[in-house]
Amino acid sequence: MVTHASAQMTAGRLPLVVGNWKMNGTRVTSVELLAALRSAGPFDAEVSVCCPFPYLVDVALSLQGSGIAWGAQDCSQHEPGAYTGEVAASMLAEFGCRHVIVGHSERRTHHAESDTLVADKARQALAHGLTPIVCVGETRAERDAGSTEAVVKRQMSAVIHALGHCVSQIVVAYEPIWAIGTGLTATPQQAQALHAVLRAQLAAASTRAGEMRLLYGGSVNAANAAELFAQVDIDGALVGGASLKEADFSAICRAASHAALGSTGKSRT
Ligand code: PEP
């Protein structure tokens, strides 16, 4: 439950922690995990869990009234129709989803999702009242070649082009691909540098860029979360592996709560 939101919102941006379960768990373990997470709360940061589609009903029932939001890991770029296997943003809205992840590197890689397709999905999510969490990030080879900024800006630019000033309604997750699920984390300084680049790019498109949440993702855990959240342009995390362990995920949510309450000493203005 967000109990200190007003103080943080006055200062700037309420930290957001989003769990990305990917294709993990069972119906039973999912409900058990959420019961434990619910008991660990309330949190002073915004917390959300993006689960596999078939678990949405259970997740909604488990989290209703907890202050913890839920969402999905992808949506179609189309309105409902003849698209076998796809799930429409309007359907996710029916299940009370607040967020939907789009453009995760696993979808860009395994499903050949292009920058334009990701942008179309973000637009579709917004059209149905969902907040898209748009993932961007570079491969190890791109970083080693010195093209990190160019790659991330290209990915972001497609979304800015599709959404115009409405881009301020999205959440961005900077996820260096080499840090996802590898145990390697970008240093807080590396992550902050990219977040600053992204915020500057967004500022050229929207006067509200300063209010947007930019999350970091890539092996965030209980031990490294606080230092990441202390960076001026890092407003929370997209969490994969650690979101499947209640104790770890709760610890990350608590670190975000401390950031929300200003105890990291950073200024978000
Ligand atoms: C992710 O899948 O978005 C992610 C960041 O995974 P992990 O935290 O496991 O690196």
Side-chain angles (χ1 to χ4, degrees):
M1 187 178 299
V2 177
T3 51
H4 294 268
S6 56
Q8 174 63 17
M9 293 306 278
T10 307
R13 307 176 292 269
L14 180 66
L16 169 63
V17 178
V18 180
N20 174 15
W21 286 0
K22 311 194 186 192
M23 196 173 73
N24 286 302
T26 67
R27 194 173 179 188
V28 169
T29 60
S30 300
V31 170
E32 285 169 356
L33 176 58
L34 293 178
L37 183 63
R38 203 180 163 133
S39 311
F43 302 104
D44 290 296
E46 186 177 352
V47 174
S48 186
V49 173
C50 290
C51 67
F53 296 130
Y55 298 155
L56 272 173
V57 173
D58 290 315
V59 169
L61 291 173
S62 298
L63 291 180
Q64 229 152 29
S66 69
I68 300 170
W70 59 91
Q73 300 166 19
D74 184 36
C75 69
S76 171
Q77 71 274 32
H78 300 293
E79 289 293 326
Y83 300 101
T84 303
E86 296 291 291
V87 175
S90 60
M91 296 170 178
L92 298 179
E94 281 188 89
F95 286 88
C97 288
R98 186 183 300 172
H99 300 108
V100 59
I101 299 169
V102 296
H104 191 281
S105 62
E106 287 152 16
R107 293 209 62 85
R108 290 183 190 258
T109 304
H110 304 314
H111 301 270
E113 293 199 357
S114 66
D115 297 340
T116 317
L117 177 65
V118 171
D120 287 345
K121 289 183 172 196
R123 185 170 42 204
Q124 192 65 11
L126 283 179
H128 290 282
L130 304 172
T131 299
I133 298 171
V134 178
C135 301
V136 296
E138 82 286 2
T139 62
R140 179 84 254 173
E142 288 163 341
R143 176 163 282 268
D144 291 345
S147 46
T148 298
E149 264 194 41
V151 168
V152 168
K153 280 171 130 175
R154 187 205 72 222
Q155 293 169 334
M156 196 71 258
S157 148
V159 180
I160 291 171
H161 180 74
L163 302 184
H165 64 87
C166 292
V167 77
S168 64
Q169 294 169 37
I170 73 170
V171 167
V172 177
Y174 167 59
E175 299 206 308
I177 295 170
W178 48 271
I180 296 179
T182 58
L184 299 171
T185 316
T187 64
Q189 294 71 29
Q190 283 173 325
Q192 165 57 30
L194 250 295
H195 281 229
V197 165
L198 283 168
R199 200 177 299 281
Q201 186 183 10
L202 290 161
S206 168
T207 53
R208 308 193 72 169
E211 297 162 34
M212 291 177 66
R213 264 97 56 95
L214 308 187
L215 313 184
Y216 169 76
S219 299
V220 175
N221 58 40
N224 61 25
E227 206 188 342
L228 287 161
F229 298 160
Q231 304 304 308
V232 70
D233 284 301
I234 299 182
D235 307 307
L238 180 55
V239 184
S243 72
L244 297 167
K245 298 175 206 131
E246 181 277 316
D248 292 9
F249 192 59
S250 296
I252 295 167
C253 296
R254 278 194 295 277
S257 299
H258 290 146
L261 297 172
S263 51
T264 59
K266 87 171 169 186
S267 161
R268 291 177 175 274
T269 51

